[in-house]
Amino acid sequence: MRVYLLVALGLGLRIGSISAQSSGVSTPANPTDKDKNRSFHPGELWYDTAGDLINAHGGGVLQMGSTYYWYGEKRAQHQEEGVNVYSSQDLYTWQYQGVALPPSADPQSDIAAGCLMERPKVIYNKKTGKYVMWFHLELKGQGYKAARAGVAVADKPTGPFRYVSSFRPNGHMSRDMGLFVDDDGAAYHVYSARENYDLRLARLSPDYLTATAQDSLLFSKHQEAPALFKTGGKYYLITSGCTGWDPNQASLHVADAPFGPWKPLGDPMTGPNAHLTFGGQSTYVLPVAGKKDAFIFMADRWNPKDLKDSRYLWLPVQFKEGHPTVDWLPQWNLGFFNKPTKQL
Ligand code: GAL
């Protein structure tokens, strides 16, 4: 009797896990591990509060009051399924808020299903009270030829976002990109142009819906995946090389103003596999609310065979000799930023 029960239980568990996998809905590997909800585990499976794997690649985070919103590419095995949004109060546990911007059912739309909406970032415009999303748009069936920036807008951080337009900023190709809002409310679009050889910066219009003609070349070093942040009056930019989904060496630049001049500071990563960004590629640097000089480096460890199964690397930025560095840590929590050793 006991044997039967054990066998049945074992079989039930196995069948349970197989059907959970095939439906794409999974339960935490170890739901009793409370620690998973109180620390970051770079490169490991990361589940939302409903027990589903977080699907928000090439993403960025917006903080509004005590809530963080994580936007990222919703991926099937390869196909783009729009922009997902999650919310969190603590940065460890994320609640799924749905698809903030789905591809359009209208085949004539720029964002018709089958297009690519990559590296979405959302910023809040204090003057208009709107949430503005920019993303890298590739038109359906054209591979990476279109090289456009796409813009969408919403009244609430969770959307729904309304698609506004897409364009090449000031005529320049625009692929990997990021957004940055300065202390004075001026917003910028940092983007890979000219077949990714150039990295450019464009100041946005006051409503953040388009690029102004204030648009300059920052440097020409074949870089992408830009993540711009500011601390202590300095602007920092982390970028990757251009090797598609494969990881490569990261670069750090510093400047006194958004348009530069930008000075190279080398590779900010340290630790095992640092020269390949720990197998990842930068996407955003997240300022942690209420903590001085507390930033989280966010990267994607892409799985080109199954893009939705790409993993997230979130690591603390440390300031060594005044410069940001990112050390590999297999596990850490926000208490890290309280340690005096943070500034070495
Ligand atoms: C990477 C880029 C990704 C995606 C990929 C496609 O270089 O950073 O966002 O576009 O290429 O191969």
Side-chain angles (χ1 to χ4, degrees):
M1 186 68 177
R2 233 167 109 190
V3 175
Y4 276 126
L5 201 66
L6 283 176
V7 170
L9 209 65
L11 209 64
L13 282 177
R14 283 188 58 190
I15 290 170
S17 73
I18 289 166
S19 62
Q21 271 169 28
S22 57
S23 70
V25 178
S26 330
T27 42
N30 184 357
T32 57
D33 184 3
K34 291 267 191 308
D35 191 48
K36 281 260 176 194
N37 296 333
R38 287 200 217 107
S39 53
F40 301 103
H41 300 253
E44 290 186 19
L45 294 171
W46 198 348
Y47 296 90
D48 67 13
T49 51
D52 298 327
L53 280 172
I54 294 176
N55 194 341
H57 311 281
V61 173
L62 171 72
Q63 183 221 330
M64 292 300 295
S66 58
T67 306
Y68 294 92
Y69 297 92
W70 177 359
Y71 302 87
E73 297 165 36
K74 180 183 184 199
R75 287 284 187 168
Q77 188 178 357
H78 294 110
Q79 183 135 352
E80 184 82 55
E81 295 184 334
V83 177
N84 266 341
V85 56
Y86 295 80
S87 67
S88 174
Q89 312 287 319
D90 60 12
L91 293 172
Y92 308 121
T93 51
W94 291 91
Q95 188 175 2
Y96 186 47
Q97 298 288 350
V99 181
L101 179 67
S104 171
D106 172 3
Q108 299 308 316
S109 166
D110 289 351
I111 59 164
C115 73
L116 289 173
M117 289 186 258
E118 295 188 345
R119 298 185 172 272
K121 305 287 177 291
V122 173
I123 53 180
Y124 177 66
N125 190 309
K126 281 187 188 150
K127 281 191 201 130
T128 62
K130 303 278 185 202
Y131 296 84
V132 181
M133 178 191 292
W134 282 57
F135 52 94
H136 165 199
L137 176 68
E138 295 294 348
L139 303 176
K140 181 185 176 177
Q142 296 192 22
Y144 281 85
K145 232 175 73 191
R148 291 191 195 182
V151 180
V153 70
D155 296 322
K156 289 191 299 181
T158 49
F161 280 78
R162 182 177 56 81
Y163 173 71
V164 177
S165 64
S166 74
F167 46 85
R168 287 185 167 187
N170 297 297
H172 301 289
M173 295 174 91
S174 178
R175 291 202 181 114
D176 280 12
M177 53 140 282
L179 294 179
F180 172 73
V181 182
D182 212 339
D183 304 328
D184 61 0
Y188 300 88
H189 174 230
V190 55
Y191 63 105
S192 297
R194 199 171 61 88
E195 300 291 1
N196 305 335
Y197 283 95
D198 294 348
L199 201 77
R200 301 189 64 92
L201 186 83
R203 185 173 169 148
L204 305 191
S205 53
D207 60 9
Y208 298 172
L209 297 181
T210 190
T212 67
Q214 236 186 313
D215 178 335
S216 292
L217 173 69
L218 301 188
F219 45 78
S220 227
K221 297 180 182 175
H222 209 197
Q223 295 286 294
E224 58 181 11
L228 210 168
F229 64 107
K230 181 186 187 183
T231 184
K234 300 263 183 221
Y235 298 80
Y236 294 98
L237 184 54
I238 298 180
T239 53
S240 77
C242 292
T243 52
W245 302 117
D246 294 336
N248 54 50
Q249 188 163 33
S251 298
L252 173 70
H253 286 75
V254 64
D256 292 326
F259 285 107
W262 286 87
K263 190 178 129 208
L265 291 176
D267 179 354
M269 310 294 154
T270 65
N273 218 16
H275 69 293
L276 289 178
T277 321
F278 320 115
Q281 184 183 30
S282 45
T283 182
Y284 191 68
V285 173
L286 159 61
V288 179
K291 290 184 192 274
K292 192 179 175 295
D293 275 345
F295 294 91
I296 300 175
F297 170 71
M298 290 170 53
D300 298 282
R301 190 181 276 167
W302 299 110
N303 175 0
K305 294 203 179 83
D306 185 3
L307 284 172
K308 73 173 177 317
D309 187 42
S310 303
R311 302 291 163 78
Y312 312 101
L313 308 181
W314 287 30
L315 291 161
V317 175
Q318 303 180 55
F319 292 85
K320 293 187 182 168
E321 289 156 16
H323 295 319
T325 64
V326 180
D327 284 351
W328 174 255
L329 290 173
Q331 182 182 342
W332 64 285
N333 62 42
L334 294 172
F336 182 92
F337 294 118
N338 302 333
K339 291 189 191 139
T341 49
K342 177 173 78 80
Q343 294 271 356
L344 298 176

